[in-house]
Amino acid sequence: MNAPVCWMSRIDEYLTYRRSLGFGLKFDETVLRSFAKFALKTGPHAHLTVELATDWARSSQRSEPRTWARRIEVLRGFAFYCLRLDEATEVPERNLFGPAHRRLVPHIFTEAELVALLQAAKNLPSVNGLRAATCQTVLGLLAACGLRISEALSLSHDDVDLKAGVLYIRMAKRHKQRLVPLHPSVTDRLLAYARHRDELVVQHRNEHFFVREDGGPVQRASIIYALHGLCKQLGLSLRGDYAHHRLHDLRHTFIVRSLLQFYQQDIDVDHSVLALSVYVGHAKVTDTYWYFTGIPELMRIAASRFHQFAQGETQ
């Protein structure tokens, strides 16, 4: 009988190999280590089998097929890696539990909601006023440029060129880099924040552009906490499939409202979407289309165009 596999060691080898190719794999690491613990608990196992994979997928606390399918999706990559080392490895079928992904509808903020949100952020509780200024500026930057929160909070002083009005995103998703031109109003707001920050925090503890009142780097959790508190304070109702308002909804909102502007300004949408895809740092333009959500303004445009098309056909 073959010796049992040390799953944790093999997973470490797999993660090292994939990361050498540029993948982050934070989520995958969590999932695969869960598999290793399950295999050790139920073992010993000499091979990765469909039965083992199925039992582990179903052991999730969330007993729904989509969660099981997502686990299998992650495990399949590891299974193909194991197959190179052990020909007895069984690779689970991709649709063993059905589709792993379903597009959940995001909350698309209206212009009135964005204005109210940023206005309310000015009055957030703060020892010296910097917390309120930081939260307002970060939320405004996400809404105005469609940045990921990780990109915004990772900005250093050197990454923010306020003379040229450009952000340098060094560590975007999949280790991509890009330049993000800013609207003059955004540049002015960042300049005002920088001056206010330097007045309140004389000695920075790091090179981050956005800092806490003690000079340390701003954490994602603090911005999420502020967003949830502000939305509750304003009584903003949720539209979509998520349980809470998300920072990523601001990215969705930027992309959807950019599309709306393309139609309103009667410019070439197909070419503009390509430019938008580059601006927000998507690897493929299909990733940008994934963000499009039907809001009332877009649906009215679609209905009007279909009406014109139908009239043209009948005449």
Side-chain angles (χ1 to χ4, degrees):
M1 180 176 178
N2 294 334
V5 177
C6 180
W7 294 109
M8 201 65 78
S9 296
R10 185 165 291 183
I11 285 171
D12 286 338
E13 295 170 1
Y14 168 72
L15 292 172
T16 299
Y17 166 70
R18 290 290 306 281
R19 283 170 176 159
S20 70
L21 301 176
F23 295 93
L25 304 178
K26 288 184 179 180
F27 174 76
D28 292 44
E29 179 175 0
T30 301
V31 173
L32 291 175
R33 294 201 183 285
S34 168
F35 168 77
K37 292 175 183 177
F38 179 86
L40 178 63
K41 181 180 179 180
T42 60
H45 300 279
H47 314 286
L48 197 167
T49 63
V50 171
E51 181 181 5
L52 175 60
T54 301
D55 291 343
W56 164 71
R58 291 181 181 273
S59 72
S60 171
Q61 293 182 351
R62 301 184 64 180
S63 56
E64 54 183 40
R66 189 162 61 90
T67 299
W68 304 340
R70 184 71 181 97
R71 283 186 153 200
I72 292 297
E73 182 180 61
V74 173
L75 189 65
R76 276 172 51 83
F78 175 63
F80 279 115
Y81 178 81
C82 291
L83 188 60
R84 298 166 53 184
L85 308 173
D86 176 15
E87 61 181 12
T89 298
E90 298 176 2
V91 179
E93 294 183 9
R94 182 183 300 276
N95 293 319
L96 185 62
F97 294 113
H101 298 278
R102 177 176 71 87
R103 185 187 186 278
L104 299 178
V105 178
H107 176 92
I108 304 300
F109 288 91
T110 65
E111 290 188 16
E113 287 175 338
L114 289 175
V115 170
L117 182 70
L118 297 180
Q119 186 66 29
K122 293 172 59 177
N123 301 315
L124 282 169
S126 181
V127 175
N128 60 6
L130 184 58
R131 173 177 180 258
T134 298
C135 289
Q136 182 193 40
T137 307
V138 170
L139 293 173
L141 186 62
L142 299 183
C145 299
L147 297 184
R148 303 176 179 94
I149 183 60
S150 59
E151 295 172 346
L153 298 186
S154 296
L155 289 170
S156 69
H157 298 288
D158 293 338
D159 296 334
V160 182
D161 188 339
L162 296 177
K163 290 185 179 180
V166 174
L167 301 180
Y168 179 27
I169 308 299
R170 298 178 183 273
M171 290 297 292
K173 195 173 181 179
R174 296 190 177 90
H175 303 281
K176 299 288 186 179
Q177 300 180 0
R178 72 183 189 280
L179 296 176
V180 177
L182 302 173
H183 188 275
S185 63
V186 179
T187 304
D188 291 344
R189 185 65 192 88
L190 291 177
L191 181 59
Y193 170 78
R195 289 171 175 168
H196 187 53
R197 176 202 64 205
D198 293 343
E199 290 175 358
L200 298 176
V201 183
V202 178
Q203 185 65 40
H204 293 185
R205 288 165 45 191
N206 55 73
E207 292 301 316
H208 286 80
F209 184 81
F210 294 109
V211 298
R212 302 192 306 258
E213 292 171 332
D214 64 356
V218 178
Q219 302 299 317
R220 177 197 303 250
S222 65
I223 305 297
I224 294 175
Y225 179 79
L227 175 67
H228 289 171
L230 291 169
C231 290
K232 182 178 181 180
Q233 173 190 328
L234 295 169
L236 299 185
S237 58
L238 274 166
R239 296 182 299 276
D241 294 330
Y242 292 92
H244 303 283
H245 294 90
R246 305 173 306 144
L247 294 172
H248 210 61
D249 289 335
L250 294 170
R251 181 171 167 86
H252 279 269
T253 298
F254 172 78
I255 292 174
V256 168
R257 298 209 161 273
S258 294
L259 177 65
L260 177 61
Q261 288 184 1
F262 298 156
Y263 280 112
Q264 290 175 335
Q265 296 171 9
D266 197 26
I267 60 179
D268 189 326
V269 172
D270 292 336
H271 284 84
S272 297
V273 169
L274 289 173
L276 176 63
S277 184
V278 173
Y279 186 86
V280 297
H282 282 155
K284 306 183 296 294
V285 71
T286 51
D287 295 338
T288 308
Y289 281 105
W290 175 265
Y291 275 70
F292 291 161
T293 301
I295 60 175
E297 297 93 329
L298 283 174
M299 298 309 294
R300 278 195 292 269
I301 293 174
S304 174
R305 293 195 168 202
F306 179 78
H307 179 68
Q308 293 174 4
F309 169 78
Q311 282 189 324
E313 287 293 312
T314 58
Q315 291 176 355

PDB file of all heavy atoms in Angstrom, residues 10-35:
ATOM      1  N   ARG A  10       2.655  19.178   0.478  1.00  0.00           N
ATOM      2  CA  ARG A  10       2.408  19.229  -0.965  1.00  0.00           C
ATOM      3  C   ARG A  10       1.684  20.514  -1.353  1.00  0.00           C
ATOM      4  O   ARG A  10       1.951  21.097  -2.410  1.00  0.00           O
ATOM      5  CB  ARG A  10       1.603  18.005  -1.408  1.00  0.00           C
ATOM      6  CG  ARG A  10       1.413  17.923  -2.917  1.00  0.00           C
ATOM      7  CD  ARG A  10       0.941  16.557  -3.365  1.00  0.00           C
ATOM      8  NE  ARG A  10       1.967  15.540  -3.202  1.00  0.00           N
ATOM      9  CZ  ARG A  10       1.813  14.266  -3.583  1.00  0.00           C
ATOM     10  NH1 ARG A  10       0.667  13.884  -4.129  1.00  0.00           N
ATOM     11  NH2 ARG A  10       2.783  13.402  -3.412  1.00  0.00           N
ATOM     12  N   ILE A  11       0.773  20.970  -0.497  1.00  0.00           N
ATOM     13  CA  ILE A  11       0.086  22.234  -0.765  1.00  0.00           C
ATOM     14  C   ILE A  11       1.067  23.395  -0.718  1.00  0.00           C
ATOM     15  O   ILE A  11       0.996  24.317  -1.546  1.00  0.00           O
ATOM     16  CB  ILE A  11      -1.067  22.432   0.252  1.00  0.00           C
ATOM     17  CG1 ILE A  11      -2.229  21.498  -0.118  1.00  0.00           C
ATOM     18  CG2 ILE A  11      -1.534  23.888   0.276  1.00  0.00           C
ATOM     19  CD1 ILE A  11      -3.320  21.430   0.914  1.00  0.00           C
ATOM     20  N   ASP A  12       1.995  23.366   0.233  1.00  0.00           N
ATOM     21  CA  ASP A  12       3.029  24.409   0.294  1.00  0.00           C
ATOM     22  C   ASP A  12       3.842  24.441  -0.996  1.00  0.00           C
ATOM     23  O   ASP A  12       4.149  25.522  -1.529  1.00  0.00           O
ATOM     24  CB  ASP A  12       3.963  24.166   1.481  1.00  0.00           C
ATOM     25  CG  ASP A  12       3.313  24.514   2.817  1.00  0.00           C
ATOM     26  OD1 ASP A  12       2.351  25.305   2.802  1.00  0.00           O
ATOM     27  OD2 ASP A  12       3.763  23.989   3.845  1.00  0.00           O
ATOM     28  N   GLU A  13       4.185  23.282  -1.521  1.00  0.00           N
ATOM     29  CA  GLU A  13       4.942  23.200  -2.770  1.00  0.00           C
ATOM     30  C   GLU A  13       4.122  23.767  -3.932  1.00  0.00           C
ATOM     31  O   GLU A  13       4.648  24.502  -4.780  1.00  0.00           O
ATOM     32  CB  GLU A  13       5.315  21.741  -3.052  1.00  0.00           C
ATOM     33  CG  GLU A  13       6.272  21.131  -2.042  1.00  0.00           C
ATOM     34  CD  GLU A  13       6.407  19.630  -2.230  1.00  0.00           C
ATOM     35  OE1 GLU A  13       5.763  19.084  -3.164  1.00  0.00           O
ATOM     36  OE2 GLU A  13       7.133  18.992  -1.445  1.00  0.00           O
ATOM     37  N   TYR A  14       2.839  23.414  -3.955  1.00  0.00           N
ATOM     38  CA  TYR A  14       1.945  23.897  -5.024  1.00  0.00           C
ATOM     39  C   TYR A  14       1.805  25.411  -4.974  1.00  0.00           C
ATOM     40  O   TYR A  14       1.898  26.089  -6.007  1.00  0.00           O
ATOM     41  CB  TYR A  14       0.586  23.219  -4.872  1.00  0.00           C
ATOM     42  CG  TYR A  14      -0.515  23.826  -5.715  1.00  0.00           C
ATOM     43  CD1 TYR A  14      -0.534  23.658  -7.096  1.00  0.00           C
ATOM     44  CD2 TYR A  14      -1.537  24.569  -5.128  1.00  0.00           C
ATOM     45  CE1 TYR A  14      -1.547  24.209  -7.871  1.00  0.00           C
ATOM     46  CE2 TYR A  14      -2.555  25.118  -5.899  1.00  0.00           C
ATOM     47  CZ  TYR A  14      -2.549  24.942  -7.261  1.00  0.00           C
ATOM     48  OH  TYR A  14      -3.548  25.489  -8.029  1.00  0.00           O
ATOM     49  N   LEU A  15       1.591  25.961  -3.787  1.00  0.00           N
ATOM     50  CA  LEU A  15       1.432  27.405  -3.646  1.00  0.00           C
ATOM     51  C   LEU A  15       2.710  28.141  -4.031  1.00  0.00           C
ATOM     52  O   LEU A  15       2.666  29.196  -4.686  1.00  0.00           O
ATOM     53  CB  LEU A  15       1.047  27.756  -2.210  1.00  0.00           C
ATOM     54  CG  LEU A  15      -0.349  27.292  -1.757  1.00  0.00           C
ATOM     55  CD1 LEU A  15      -0.526  27.539  -0.264  1.00  0.00           C
ATOM     56  CD2 LEU A  15      -1.441  28.012  -2.545  1.00  0.00           C
ATOM     57  N   THR A  16       3.848  27.598  -3.644  1.00  0.00           N
ATOM     58  CA  THR A  16       5.137  28.206  -4.012  1.00  0.00           C
ATOM     59  C   THR A  16       5.306  28.229  -5.527  1.00  0.00           C
ATOM     60  O   THR A  16       5.737  29.234  -6.109  1.00  0.00           O
ATOM     61  CB  THR A  16       6.305  27.431  -3.371  1.00  0.00           C
ATOM     62  OG1 THR A  16       6.176  27.486  -1.943  1.00  0.00           O
ATOM     63  CG2 THR A  16       7.649  28.035  -3.769  1.00  0.00           C
ATOM     64  N   TYR A  17       4.961  27.121  -6.173  1.00  0.00           N
ATOM     65  CA  TYR A  17       5.064  27.034  -7.631  1.00  0.00           C
ATOM     66  C   TYR A  17       4.150  28.044  -8.309  1.00  0.00           C
ATOM     67  O   TYR A  17       4.574  28.800  -9.192  1.00  0.00           O
ATOM     68  CB  TYR A  17       4.710  25.613  -8.074  1.00  0.00           C
ATOM     69  CG  TYR A  17       4.458  25.471  -9.557  1.00  0.00           C
ATOM     70  CD1 TYR A  17       5.504  25.592 -10.471  1.00  0.00           C
ATOM     71  CD2 TYR A  17       3.168  25.233 -10.035  1.00  0.00           C
ATOM     72  CE1 TYR A  17       5.260  25.480 -11.837  1.00  0.00           C
ATOM     73  CE2 TYR A  17       2.927  25.119 -11.389  1.00  0.00           C
ATOM     74  CZ  TYR A  17       3.973  25.242 -12.293  1.00  0.00           C
ATOM     75  OH  TYR A  17       3.734  25.144 -13.632  1.00  0.00           O
ATOM     76  N   ARG A  18       2.877  28.111  -7.895  1.00  0.00           N
ATOM     77  CA  ARG A  18       1.929  29.025  -8.524  1.00  0.00           C
ATOM     78  C   ARG A  18       2.316  30.490  -8.276  1.00  0.00           C
ATOM     79  O   ARG A  18       2.179  31.332  -9.169  1.00  0.00           O
ATOM     80  CB  ARG A  18       0.516  28.772  -7.987  1.00  0.00           C
ATOM     81  CG  ARG A  18      -0.104  27.457  -8.421  1.00  0.00           C
ATOM     82  CD  ARG A  18      -0.453  27.427  -9.911  1.00  0.00           C
ATOM     83  NE  ARG A  18      -1.288  28.532 -10.325  1.00  0.00           N
ATOM     84  CZ  ARG A  18      -2.607  28.603 -10.136  1.00  0.00           C
ATOM     85  NH1 ARG A  18      -3.240  27.630  -9.496  1.00  0.00           N
ATOM     86  NH2 ARG A  18      -3.285  29.647 -10.582  1.00  0.00           N
ATOM     87  N   ARG A  19       2.775  30.779  -7.074  1.00  0.00           N
ATOM     88  CA  ARG A  19       3.149  32.158  -6.757  1.00  0.00           C
ATOM     89  C   ARG A  19       4.388  32.597  -7.509  1.00  0.00           C
ATOM     90  O   ARG A  19       4.570  33.784  -7.771  1.00  0.00           O
ATOM     91  CB  ARG A  19       3.341  32.304  -5.246  1.00  0.00           C
ATOM     92  CG  ARG A  19       2.011  32.383  -4.499  1.00  0.00           C
ATOM     93  CD  ARG A  19       2.139  32.282  -3.006  1.00  0.00           C
ATOM     94  NE  ARG A  19       0.836  32.472  -2.368  1.00  0.00           N
ATOM     95  CZ  ARG A  19       0.524  32.058  -1.149  1.00  0.00           C
ATOM     96  NH1 ARG A  19       1.432  31.422  -0.424  1.00  0.00           N
ATOM     97  NH2 ARG A  19      -0.686  32.275  -0.658  1.00  0.00           N
ATOM     98  N   SER A  20       5.231  31.651  -7.872  1.00  0.00           N
ATOM     99  CA  SER A  20       6.395  31.995  -8.689  1.00  0.00           C
ATOM    100  C   SER A  20       5.975  32.452 -10.080  1.00  0.00           C
ATOM    101  O   SER A  20       6.745  33.103 -10.789  1.00  0.00           O
ATOM    102  CB  SER A  20       7.334  30.791  -8.807  1.00  0.00           C
ATOM    103  OG  SER A  20       6.762  29.757  -9.616  1.00  0.00           O
ATOM    104  N   LEU A  21       4.723  32.140 -10.450  1.00  0.00           N
ATOM    105  CA  LEU A  21       4.175  32.556 -11.744  1.00  0.00           C
ATOM    106  C   LEU A  21       3.392  33.858 -11.638  1.00  0.00           C
ATOM    107  O   LEU A  21       2.821  34.326 -12.620  1.00  0.00           O
ATOM    108  CB  LEU A  21       3.272  31.452 -12.297  1.00  0.00           C
ATOM    109  CG  LEU A  21       3.929  30.076 -12.511  1.00  0.00           C
ATOM    110  CD1 LEU A  21       2.903  29.058 -12.972  1.00  0.00           C
ATOM    111  CD2 LEU A  21       5.069  30.181 -13.513  1.00  0.00           C
ATOM    112  N   GLY A  22       3.325  34.420 -10.416  1.00  0.00           N
ATOM    113  CA  GLY A  22       2.688  35.719 -10.246  1.00  0.00           C
ATOM    114  C   GLY A  22       1.313  35.702  -9.618  1.00  0.00           C
ATOM    115  O   GLY A  22       0.671  36.743  -9.518  1.00  0.00           O
ATOM    116  N   PHE A  23       0.835  34.535  -9.165  1.00  0.00           N
ATOM    117  CA  PHE A  23      -0.490  34.458  -8.561  1.00  0.00           C
ATOM    118  C   PHE A  23      -0.413  34.737  -7.065  1.00  0.00           C
ATOM    119  O   PHE A  23       0.535  34.328  -6.397  1.00  0.00           O
ATOM    120  CB  PHE A  23      -1.108  33.078  -8.800  1.00  0.00           C
ATOM    121  CG  PHE A  23      -1.393  32.780 -10.247  1.00  0.00           C
ATOM    122  CD1 PHE A  23      -0.461  32.110 -11.035  1.00  0.00           C
ATOM    123  CD2 PHE A  23      -2.589  33.184 -10.822  1.00  0.00           C
ATOM    124  CE1 PHE A  23      -0.718  31.844 -12.362  1.00  0.00           C
ATOM    125  CE2 PHE A  23      -2.855  32.918 -12.158  1.00  0.00           C
ATOM    126  CZ  PHE A  23      -1.917  32.247 -12.931  1.00  0.00           C
ATOM    127  N   GLY A  24      -1.446  35.423  -6.533  1.00  0.00           N
ATOM    128  CA  GLY A  24      -1.481  35.733  -5.112  1.00  0.00           C
ATOM    129  C   GLY A  24      -1.984  34.557  -4.280  1.00  0.00           C
ATOM    130  O   GLY A  24      -1.356  34.137  -3.315  1.00  0.00           O
ATOM    131  N   LEU A  25      -3.184  34.041  -4.626  1.00  0.00           N
ATOM    132  CA  LEU A  25      -3.734  32.811  -4.057  1.00  0.00           C
ATOM    133  C   LEU A  25      -4.041  32.873  -2.558  1.00  0.00           C
ATOM    134  O   LEU A  25      -3.964  31.861  -1.863  1.00  0.00           O
ATOM    135  CB  LEU A  25      -2.777  31.629  -4.319  1.00  0.00           C
ATOM    136  CG  LEU A  25      -2.401  31.361  -5.773  1.00  0.00           C
ATOM    137  CD1 LEU A  25      -1.429  30.214  -5.855  1.00  0.00           C
ATOM    138  CD2 LEU A  25      -3.641  31.058  -6.599  1.00  0.00           C
ATOM    139  N   LYS A  26      -4.423  34.030  -2.047  1.00  0.00           N
ATOM    140  CA  LYS A  26      -4.782  34.115  -0.626  1.00  0.00           C
ATOM    141  C   LYS A  26      -5.998  33.251  -0.324  1.00  0.00           C
ATOM    142  O   LYS A  26      -6.016  32.493   0.643  1.00  0.00           O
ATOM    143  CB  LYS A  26      -5.054  35.573  -0.244  1.00  0.00           C
ATOM    144  CG  LYS A  26      -3.806  36.440  -0.179  1.00  0.00           C
ATOM    145  CD  LYS A  26      -4.158  37.840   0.298  1.00  0.00           C
ATOM    146  CE  LYS A  26      -2.912  38.709   0.383  1.00  0.00           C
ATOM    147  NZ  LYS A  26      -3.243  40.094   0.855  1.00  0.00           N
ATOM    148  N   PHE A  27      -7.042  33.397  -1.156  1.00  0.00           N
ATOM    149  CA  PHE A  27      -8.253  32.595  -0.948  1.00  0.00           C
ATOM    150  C   PHE A  27      -7.956  31.118  -1.153  1.00  0.00           C
ATOM    151  O   PHE A  27      -8.374  30.266  -0.368  1.00  0.00           O
ATOM    152  CB  PHE A  27      -9.348  33.064  -1.902  1.00  0.00           C
ATOM    153  CG  PHE A  27     -10.589  32.218  -1.867  1.00  0.00           C
ATOM    154  CD1 PHE A  27     -11.489  32.327  -0.826  1.00  0.00           C
ATOM    155  CD2 PHE A  27     -10.852  31.294  -2.887  1.00  0.00           C
ATOM    156  CE1 PHE A  27     -12.634  31.546  -0.781  1.00  0.00           C
ATOM    157  CE2 PHE A  27     -11.990  30.514  -2.849  1.00  0.00           C
ATOM    158  CZ  PHE A  27     -12.882  30.637  -1.796  1.00  0.00           C
ATOM    159  N   ASP A  28      -7.209  30.794  -2.213  1.00  0.00           N
ATOM    160  CA  ASP A  28      -6.889  29.403  -2.516  1.00  0.00           C
ATOM    161  C   ASP A  28      -6.115  28.757  -1.367  1.00  0.00           C
ATOM    162  O   ASP A  28      -6.343  27.590  -1.034  1.00  0.00           O
ATOM    163  CB  ASP A  28      -6.059  29.321  -3.805  1.00  0.00           C
ATOM    164  CG  ASP A  28      -6.857  29.716  -5.029  1.00  0.00           C
ATOM    165  OD1 ASP A  28      -7.571  30.724  -4.948  1.00  0.00           O
ATOM    166  OD2 ASP A  28      -6.753  29.027  -6.064  1.00  0.00           O
ATOM    167  N   GLU A  29      -5.202  29.512  -0.761  1.00  0.00           N
ATOM    168  CA  GLU A  29      -4.418  28.960   0.341  1.00  0.00           C
ATOM    169  C   GLU A  29      -5.318  28.572   1.511  1.00  0.00           C
ATOM    170  O   GLU A  29      -5.167  27.496   2.097  1.00  0.00           O
ATOM    171  CB  GLU A  29      -3.374  29.972   0.813  1.00  0.00           C
ATOM    172  CG  GLU A  29      -2.534  29.456   1.974  1.00  0.00           C
ATOM    173  CD  GLU A  29      -1.425  30.411   2.376  1.00  0.00           C
ATOM    174  OE1 GLU A  29      -1.302  31.480   1.752  1.00  0.00           O
ATOM    175  OE2 GLU A  29      -0.684  30.078   3.323  1.00  0.00           O
ATOM    176  N   THR A  30      -6.262  29.440   1.841  1.00  0.00           N
ATOM    177  CA  THR A  30      -7.186  29.140   2.932  1.00  0.00           C
ATOM    178  C   THR A  30      -7.999  27.884   2.638  1.00  0.00           C
ATOM    179  O   THR A  30      -8.157  27.006   3.502  1.00  0.00           O
ATOM    180  CB  THR A  30      -8.141  30.329   3.161  1.00  0.00           C
ATOM    181  OG1 THR A  30      -7.373  31.492   3.482  1.00  0.00           O
ATOM    182  CG2 THR A  30      -9.104  30.035   4.293  1.00  0.00           C
ATOM    183  N   VAL A  31      -8.496  27.786   1.409  1.00  0.00           N
ATOM    184  CA  VAL A  31      -9.320  26.637   1.020  1.00  0.00           C
ATOM    185  C   VAL A  31      -8.500  25.350   1.028  1.00  0.00           C
ATOM    186  O   VAL A  31      -8.935  24.318   1.564  1.00  0.00           O
ATOM    187  CB  VAL A  31      -9.937  26.872  -0.371  1.00  0.00           C
ATOM    188  CG1 VAL A  31     -10.643  25.614  -0.868  1.00  0.00           C
ATOM    189  CG2 VAL A  31     -10.921  28.035  -0.327  1.00  0.00           C
ATOM    190  N   LEU A  32      -7.305  25.401   0.463  1.00  0.00           N
ATOM    191  CA  LEU A  32      -6.482  24.194   0.359  1.00  0.00           C
ATOM    192  C   LEU A  32      -5.983  23.729   1.727  1.00  0.00           C
ATOM    193  O   LEU A  32      -5.872  22.512   1.969  1.00  0.00           O
ATOM    194  CB  LEU A  32      -5.305  24.446  -0.581  1.00  0.00           C
ATOM    195  CG  LEU A  32      -5.682  24.609  -2.057  1.00  0.00           C
ATOM    196  CD1 LEU A  32      -4.465  24.981  -2.890  1.00  0.00           C
ATOM    197  CD2 LEU A  32      -6.326  23.338  -2.599  1.00  0.00           C
ATOM    198  N   ARG A  33      -5.698  24.653   2.616  1.00  0.00           N
ATOM    199  CA  ARG A  33      -5.288  24.241   3.961  1.00  0.00           C
ATOM    200  C   ARG A  33      -6.457  23.607   4.711  1.00  0.00           C
ATOM    201  O   ARG A  33      -6.256  22.708   5.546  1.00  0.00           O
ATOM    202  CB  ARG A  33      -4.713  25.428   4.734  1.00  0.00           C
ATOM    203  CG  ARG A  33      -3.408  25.944   4.134  1.00  0.00           C
ATOM    204  CD  ARG A  33      -2.579  26.745   5.103  1.00  0.00           C
ATOM    205  NE  ARG A  33      -1.389  27.281   4.460  1.00  0.00           N
ATOM    206  CZ  ARG A  33      -0.306  26.582   4.148  1.00  0.00           C
ATOM    207  NH1 ARG A  33      -0.273  25.287   4.441  1.00  0.00           N
ATOM    208  NH2 ARG A  33       0.725  27.140   3.565  1.00  0.00           N
ATOM    209  N   SER A  34      -7.660  24.040   4.395  1.00  0.00           N
ATOM    210  CA  SER A  34      -8.839  23.386   4.954  1.00  0.00           C
ATOM    211  C   SER A  34      -8.933  21.948   4.458  1.00  0.00           C
ATOM    212  O   SER A  34      -9.254  21.024   5.226  1.00  0.00           O
ATOM    213  CB  SER A  34     -10.098  24.166   4.560  1.00  0.00           C
ATOM    214  OG  SER A  34     -11.264  23.430   4.844  1.00  0.00           O
ATOM    215  N   PHE A  35      -8.625  21.754   3.178  1.00  0.00           N
ATOM    216  CA  PHE A  35      -8.619  20.394   2.624  1.00  0.00           C
ATOM    217  C   PHE A  35      -7.567  19.533   3.309  1.00  0.00           C
ATOM    218  O   PHE A  35      -7.822  18.365   3.647  1.00  0.00           O
ATOM    219  CB  PHE A  35      -8.353  20.446   1.121  1.00  0.00           C
ATOM    220  CG  PHE A  35      -8.051  19.102   0.521  1.00  0.00           C
ATOM    221  CD1 PHE A  35      -9.075  18.194   0.268  1.00  0.00           C
ATOM    222  CD2 PHE A  35      -6.746  18.734   0.229  1.00  0.00           C
ATOM    223  CE1 PHE A  35      -8.810  16.934  -0.270  1.00  0.00           C
ATOM    224  CE2 PHE A  35      -6.463  17.488  -0.314  1.00  0.00           C
ATOM    225  CZ  PHE A  35      -7.499  16.581  -0.558  1.00  0.00           C
TER     226      PHE A  35
END
